[in-house]
Amino acid sequence: MINLRSLYIYGGSKDYKISINKRDFIYHINTGVLKTESQCLDGLESIHNIALKIKDDYIRYINSLNDLFIKNNLLFKKDISLFYFSDLFNKRTELFDTFLSICHITFIKEQLIDKYKINSIKTIQCSSSFNQSILSSMKDINIEIIKEKKEKKYLLKRLLAQKKYYLDSLLNLLLIKLFYKKEERKNTDSLFLSRYPLHFNKNFVEDKYGDMVGKNDSFLISMITDGFHQKIKLNKIYDYINDLNRKKNIIFLDYYLTASDFIWGFINSILLVKRTRRLYKQNYFFNGIKITKFISKELEQSFIRIPRLLIYGNAIKKVFSFHGIKKSIFYLHEYSYGRFFNYVLIKYFPNVIRVGFQHGPAARRKLLYYLGKNIVSDNPKDWQKKTPIPNMILAEDELSKSIYEEAGYKNVKIMKYIPRLKYLSKINRNNILDKVLIVPGLHDGYSLLTFLFNRIKEDNDNLYILKPHPRSKLFSEGVPNEFKSQNLSLGFEHISKYLESSKEVIVTYSSVGIEAHLLNIPVTVVCLPNLINESPLLDIPTEKSVNIIYKKRTY
């Protein structure tokens, strides 16, 4: 008689005790661990290989959804499909679990079910989106949902968020109009798009462009933006306006906004609720996996963002009409924010040179870089089916250049130097100490520390320094009690201080990993099950100085 067994799939972010038959198996899709003695079948390395294998098909599938936008007249000024300004087109794998879940389900279906003679699956704390997907793809398997992760009613949250954004923005605009001193007309060689204060230090040096900005150049600065990239409290706006009044090399984009822009944006966001209704009634399948609930979330996020982007159309036109601008350089050109900016320029100012600027590491598993096949055109007649892109792309290195070219970009040039990494040239590593630097991402500090803590406790020969992500609040009150150890401390100084003397750097997907690699520091990359790791170190040929760890449960 064939022994048939169950597979328990756990989707929680915290550890969970459960009593199950030792003959059964467990599998994790999040950072939490099922605490049981049963065998764990996690296959993170296979998941990352599957991601590369199905990537092109997935991109092609997502691009096909533009037909629904066109069919439902979701166009901007009957000109370009709103699809190209959507999070859906961007394939934001750091925000949405769609692609990750497809990879997990594909692995389970193709490599676990038959091999381990699994005849039933039980999910614990998995989302309703994941449960829908796995139920649809394994109809011959008995699937039981033991406990489903609660998900918020997103439509109500969406409407409340929109209302708050437009009210806050109108108040911010009022202060800008009252207190900002409009700049004189500027003849500008190159205009660098950025956001203030997010990307400027106390000396008003931009953290991505650095010293690329010359004396005949200017910054095009926004503070309000789309409410996602930065959020500024009302009581801080006045101080920031005064700071900008003292600068000579800026053009303040928000000053060119009007109250009617925001009123129109709010009305448009309400109208979109009705105009997009049919998209939510569709069923979406990829490779036999129903991903309807996942796609609905991406659509909802898209239709929050899109009206906020469109607000800036008139302001951008006013700036470029008023000032003598020859070239525009901007990062986030791969994202909705930069795509809309690029569209307005090519539509109304085709003689302005548009330069897309790489602002961080590129990787082959980072789907938002990838446009797809036959999807690019500068001809306005094509823009319902295709998207315009910058005239030129400035890439950081050969790997990034090759990725951009694979992704569908043209005229890709390598920068003479990388401004954001210029600090590396000043690092002196003549005094390497017994220190290990841990650098988590924005949301995975707790999970990474959990994975490493046994090593930290047992290693009395080295001091471990955890440098939290600058925007993470997890360690704002110090090291949590469960991670107290005499050889673990937090570091809040500039990263260069720690790179000077560390003997090893441990990261998940932080760009510090590639920076350490450039300094020939041994790097350990930890891959966690809740994300496809998008570090470029996974794309570099295996070297002794890079150690890739695909996390397994530690119990």
Side-chain angles (χ1 to χ4, degrees), residues 398-416:
E398 286 289 352
L399 174 62
S400 300
K401 181 177 185 290
S402 67
I403 288 172
Y404 273 117
E405 290 172 341
E406 288 173 17
Y409 289 93
K410 302 174 183 178
N411 198 20
V412 183
K413 309 294 184 184
I414 297 178
M415 302 178 195
K416 293 179 180 179

Side-chain angles (χ1 to χ4, degrees), residues 66 70 75 78-81 84 382-386:
N66 181 39
I70 296 171
L75 310 173
K78 299 181 180 181
D79 186 27
I80 187 169
S81 174
Y84 297 115
D382 296 335
W383 287 347
Q384 290 188 20
K385 291 283 189 177
K386 301 182 181 183

Side-chain angles (χ1 to χ4, degrees), residues 173-188:
L173 181 62
L174 176 61
L175 292 175
I176 290 168
K177 294 291 187 181
L178 286 174
F179 298 109
Y180 181 69
K181 300 172 184 176
K182 183 180 178 181
E183 62 268 356
E184 298 295 327
R185 177 180 169 86
K186 293 180 174 66
N187 289 318
T188 298

Side-chain angles (χ1 to χ4, degrees), residues 152-166:
K152 296 179 180 179
K153 297 292 183 181
Y154 203 73
L155 179 59
L156 178 60
K157 183 181 178 182
R158 166 188 168 188
L159 294 173
L160 291 174
Q162 289 294 68
K163 181 180 178 181
K164 186 177 188 307
Y165 169 78
Y166 289 107

Side-chain angles (χ1 to χ4, degrees), residues 69-84:
F69 280 67
I70 296 171
K71 183 178 178 180
N72 288 280
N73 198 32
L74 293 170
L75 310 173
F76 182 55
K77 296 188 175 181
K78 299 181 180 181
D79 186 27
I80 187 169
S81 174
L82 293 180
F83 174 74
Y84 297 115

Side-chain angles (χ1 to χ4, degrees), residues 277-291:
R277 196 170 295 165
R278 290 181 182 177
L279 272 64
Y280 297 104
K281 294 180 180 180
Q282 299 283 329
N283 279 319
Y284 302 92
F285 287 87
F286 173 75
N287 284 358
I289 302 172
K290 188 174 184 179
I291 55 173

